[in-house]
Amino acid sequence: MINVSPELQQEAQLLIANNQKILAVKLIIDHTRCGLKEAKDYIDGLQAGFQKPLSNPVHLDEQVLAILSQGNKLAAIKHYKDATGLGLAESKDYVEKLMQYKVSGNIAQQSRDTDIQNLISNSTINSQNPLKRFLIKLLIILLVAIALTYLMFKI
């Protein structure tokens, strides 16, 4: 049995829906490191049970997140299950991973924005002191001159 993530299965289903079965087999081989026969059998099975293609997995994620924002996790899992044709356990795992990713992603984005704002405010403080900027430039020039002198006499 090949272990395929829901995301990979979605990509394979999209390729099958676009009549790109060979690319779907290659995708499975590349991501699971299984043999050609196993990958082809998996794609054949996926194609036989294929009900409806996902138009765009990104929009599905947005739809699931919209349902989750209303506080209805069960409805989000059901929506994902119906849209992908996956089992209940796979749908539940995917929705929970999506929740974790979005929560941690938002925290990381807020932290990054704060860091950028701090850098900007620090640079405006530094630009207000021309003497400090001049001394830093002078120090850099001196270090470069010392390094060049050392390299010239070492050779």
Side-chain angles (χ1 to χ4, degrees):
M1 184 70 180
I2 300 174
N3 187 13
V4 178
S5 68
E7 296 86 5
L8 185 60
Q9 185 176 359
Q10 283 180 358
E11 288 181 49
Q13 286 176 334
L14 286 173
L15 289 171
I16 292 169
N18 292 327
N19 294 324
Q20 297 176 329
K21 187 175 176 180
I22 295 172
L23 288 177
V25 171
K26 183 179 181 329
L27 178 76
I28 297 299
I29 291 172
D30 290 345
H31 284 83
T32 63
R33 304 283 186 222
C34 68
L36 177 61
K37 181 173 178 6
E38 291 174 295
K40 184 185 177 303
D41 290 344
Y42 177 80
I43 293 299
D44 288 341
L46 192 62
Q47 189 174 16
F50 190 63
Q51 297 173 354
K52 58 181 179 178
L54 292 173
S55 59
N56 191 344
V58 174
H59 294 303
L60 179 60
D61 286 351
E62 291 172 0
Q63 293 168 359
V64 169
L65 288 170
I67 295 169
L68 286 171
S69 69
Q70 298 169 357
N72 198 345
K73 182 178 175 182
L74 292 176
I77 293 170
K78 182 179 182 329
H79 179 75
Y80 185 81
K81 181 181 177 297
D82 293 342
T84 61
L86 294 175
L88 181 61
E90 292 93 358
S91 299
K92 178 183 175 283
D93 291 342
Y94 182 83
V95 169
E96 287 176 347
K97 287 179 184 175
L98 184 65
M99 288 170 50
Q100 289 175 350
Y101 172 75
K102 286 300 179 179
V103 168
S104 65
N106 288 342
I107 291 171
Q109 180 66 31
Q110 290 172 353
S111 173
R112 183 177 159 267
D113 291 345
T114 303
D115 291 343
I116 291 171
Q117 289 173 351
N118 288 340
L119 286 173
I120 292 171
S121 66
N122 287 343
S123 68
T124 58
I125 291 171
N126 290 338
S127 66
Q128 292 174 354
N129 191 347
L131 180 61
K132 185 176 181 180
R133 285 181 39 209
F134 172 75
L135 291 175
I136 290 173
K137 288 180 183 179
L138 183 62
L139 179 62
I140 291 171
I141 292 170
L142 286 173
L143 289 174
V144 170
I146 291 169
L148 288 174
T149 305
Y150 174 77
L151 290 175
M152 285 177 27
F153 288 111
K154 184 178 180 183
I155 298 174

